[in-house]
Amino acid sequence: MPAHDIIAECIERARANPRRVVFPEGEDERIVAAARTLLDRAIARPIVLGKAEVIAAAAARAGVRCEGIDCRDPEGGERLGEYARLYAERRDQPNPKLAQRAVRRPLLHAGMMVTSGDADAMIAGAAHATGRVIEAGLLTVGLVPGIRTPSSFFLMLVPRRNGAERAFVFADCAVNVEPGAQGLADIAIASAGGWPGAGCTSQLKTRCGCAASTWRRRRISILGRSASGPPFARSKETAFPRRSSGA
């Protein structure tokens, strides 16, 4: 399927049922510009976190308007107490003040919005390293039951000789440095569920995960990172969708 067809299909599916997407990095002009596009094109219902004046300044730098965008301050709001209570329950945190302080952080606040059902997805990584985003997701949203390894995937569109394109899912090229057998299985299963419209089989994804391991070692070498170093590369594309009750 050509690249423009895949993107167009995703957009049409999103427009059919626009979801609430929370962006915790409202200080970044790229985030505000993206939220404006999503709202104007009726693709999603964006929620941008940050101080009102900070978001306004980012919008001015981006040359876009804030009108109509749901902007919220993560340090306030009537739901803050509920987020703190839920966070304390999930983390077995007996100190309510520490829980309150935690959920005022934009990444954790956004994650608790997803967990509580106030948002359908969280998108971050423009202003935070992947490791921070994943950590926030694990602390708030958690993993889908049966999956023990957080992962990501890239959609690669490879041209054929006849000019057509073939879609491949490469996983995991950004998060796990040296996944074992269980990790590769988790990555394949999560990738298969994360891109149902790509027309790829689970077998293909597993093979992509194994092949990506060799490529990843080369990337680590280029970046000057050893295999024994931190397990997070600095990819900027990580999202945590809310788990459905039937998952």
Side-chain angles (χ1 to χ4, degrees), residues 15-32:
R15 279 177 172 164
N17 185 19
R19 301 298 182 94
R20 300 161 299 173
V21 181
V22 58
F23 295 87
E25 300 164 318
E27 73 279 8
D28 193 301
E29 58 267 27
R30 296 169 296 175
I31 295 299
V32 183

Side-chain angles (χ1 to χ4, degrees), residues 47-59:
I47 303 168
V48 179
L49 300 186
K51 298 287 187 182
E53 61 273 17
V54 173
I55 297 174

